[in-house]
Amino acid sequence: MRLEKVAPLADEYLESIGFVWHTDSDNSSYISNELVVINEDEANAYYEAVNELYDMFAEAGQYVIDNDLFHELNIPFNLIEVIKESWENDVHWHLYSRFDLAGGIDGKPIKLIEFNADTPTSLFETAIIQWAMLKKNNLDEMSQFNNLYDALKDNFKRIITLDSDIEKFEEYYSNLGWKILFSSISSSSEDINTTKLLQHIASEAGFNTDFEFIENVQFSDEGIFKDDELFEFWFKLIPWENIGIEESELALILTEIIRNKKAIIFNPAYTLIFQSKAFMKILWDLYPNHPLLLETSFEPLVGKKYVEKRAFGREGANTKIVNADGSIDTQTSGEYEGHKAIYQEYVEFPKDENGNFYQAGVFYAYEACALGFRRGGKILNNMSKFVGHIIK
């Protein structure tokens, strides 16, 4: 793989645009001053792969619903009804998500690792920061697979038109005063500013928007409110599984809100079934030996190296790489031990000359729309770095 060193963006500049999580706890920069160099064919391959994967997820999602496989996916029981309600009504539009992939830049085939369908991270980095790095270094700003900002703006319009034709929004719907309330937790500057970036994009798309921390939002059977103002749409950067596990009363109220058509929530509750890493087992059952998939099971794989991880684990926690002979290659601890374990065939990420591993992240907003990379060890964790890219 090829890397190109560039001048980094100054911390002062990053902070001026709201990107305040630029330095990790060890005082190293979170944003790499290198770019992964890819060619046009590699960019197109990522685009095609992710579009095909999303179609497969949609088919497999219907299979989960039809066969009541929520327990197999480790879905909290109190979210099953709201998942079904959101799945069955087209108004619950999937706003954005991110596929994590191995391969693609090393001459090896692209393989799905997992799908961050509900609350994907690295939105700000992918949409804004890696583009700004090209501009800062006087490189061609169009030489990236990165249409995320505009793709999100268009997809906000589609939540009204429910149609690929966004011109209908401009012609019929743009002046009707649609309101979206955006919410995050108050303790994470990354969550707050990522949510406010999405709010800014929605405002540019033509919506009336507001922001409120989740703890101050009011919920009732009549809808979702801020200071007694009713909102038709609510975006929350809070994982659905956290709502189901930690906020059971809220889960019940949101189910009633969806059932009674009092508000529409983004991302929809059905994205939780995609978010579950156990979904990869369903995909493998439905598409065995598909070239984009890795064998995945609810039991340890026999005779081959595999990764054990938790259905709703995050940032590489509670992950174990196990060799074909059963010995442990490497493992991490964490707070997700109580979630269901799944076992996925091991594939090595692309690696640079210093031994760092690279995982591709491709965002999806109606279609595949942007690429970025994370760099770290065999198990990527919250100390991994964001690496932009350039097409040459």
Side-chain angles (χ1 to χ4, degrees), residues 42 46 102-111 347-351:
E42 289 167 332
Y46 281 125
I105 56 171
D106 52 358
K108 294 178 182 174
I110 295 169
K111 295 288 184 179
V347 61
E348 186 168 275
F349 290 131
K351 191 164 58 171

Side-chain angles (χ1 to χ4, degrees), residues 84-155:
K84 289 179 177 178
E85 289 283 345
S86 67
W87 182 266
E88 291 164 6
N89 191 329
D90 287 343
V91 301
H92 300 284
W93 195 266
H94 193 178
L95 185 60
Y96 76 117
S97 50
R98 192 193 78 236
F99 286 89
D100 287 342
L101 308 165
I105 56 171
D106 52 358
K108 294 178 182 174
I110 295 169
K111 295 288 184 179
L112 174 66
I113 301 300
E114 58 198 45
F115 185 26
N116 299 274
D118 179 18
T119 54
T121 57
S122 74
L123 174 76
F124 207 126
E125 298 91 307
T126 303
I128 306 296
I129 302 303
Q130 65 170 344
W131 169 84
M133 292 181 76
L134 295 188
K135 190 174 179 65
K136 158 80 174 178
N137 285 274
N138 298 313
L139 297 167
D140 181 3
E141 298 160 30
M142 303 301 292
S143 295
Q144 267 182 0
F145 172 24
N146 185 10
N147 187 42
L148 182 51
Y149 192 99
D150 288 334
L152 282 165
K153 190 191 298 186
D154 289 347
N155 229 16

Side-chain angles (χ1 to χ4, degrees), residues 62-93:
Q62 188 64 60
Y63 180 82
V64 167
I65 300 286
D66 292 344
N67 293 279
D68 200 28
L69 299 179
F70 301 100
H71 177 72
E72 285 81 350
L73 299 186
N74 205 200
I75 301 293
F77 73 92
N78 57 356
L79 294 176
I80 292 174
E81 288 308 311
V82 72
I83 288 171
K84 289 179 177 178
E85 289 283 345
S86 67
W87 182 266
E88 291 164 6
N89 191 329
D90 287 343
V91 301
H92 300 284
W93 195 266

Side-chain angles (χ1 to χ4, degrees), residues 50 53-55 57-58 61 86-87 89-99 114-120 148 151-160 162-163 198 233-237 240 264-276 279 362-369:
V50 161
L53 283 168
Y54 195 87
D55 288 344
F57 267 79
S86 67
W87 182 266
N89 191 329
D90 287 343
V91 301
H92 300 284
W93 195 266
H94 193 178
L95 185 60
Y96 76 117
S97 50
R98 192 193 78 236
F99 286 89
E114 58 198 45
F115 185 26
N116 299 274
D118 179 18
T119 54
L148 182 51
L152 282 165
K153 190 191 298 186
D154 289 347
N155 229 16
F156 273 114
K157 297 173 183 177
R158 291 190 186 99
I159 70 179
I160 302 299
L162 301 176
D163 195 301
L198 285 160
F233 301 102
W234 182 48
F235 175 88
K236 46 102 203 130
L237 199 65
W240 274 105
I264 297 170
I265 301 171
F266 303 105
N267 273 311
Y270 66 74
T271 58
L272 184 58
I273 64 177
F274 295 164
Q275 182 82 21
S276 171
F279 195 89
V362 178
F363 275 86
Y364 184 95
Y366 189 73
E367 64 179 350
C369 58

Side-chain angles (χ1 to χ4, degrees), residues 268-312:
Y270 66 74
T271 58
L272 184 58
I273 64 177
F274 295 164
Q275 182 82 21
S276 171
K277 295 175 180 60
F279 195 89
M280 256 62 76
K281 160 65 161 64
I282 307 297
L283 279 178
W284 185 257
D285 289 346
L286 295 178
Y287 303 96
N289 300 306
H290 189 284
L292 292 173
L293 301 180
L294 295 166
E295 181 181 355
T296 308
S297 175
F298 293 151
E299 302 293 335
L301 302 180
V302 177
K304 62 177 63 177
K305 193 171 185 176
Y306 65 84
V307 180
E308 175 188 330
K309 48 191 176 181
R310 302 292 153 169
F312 291 109

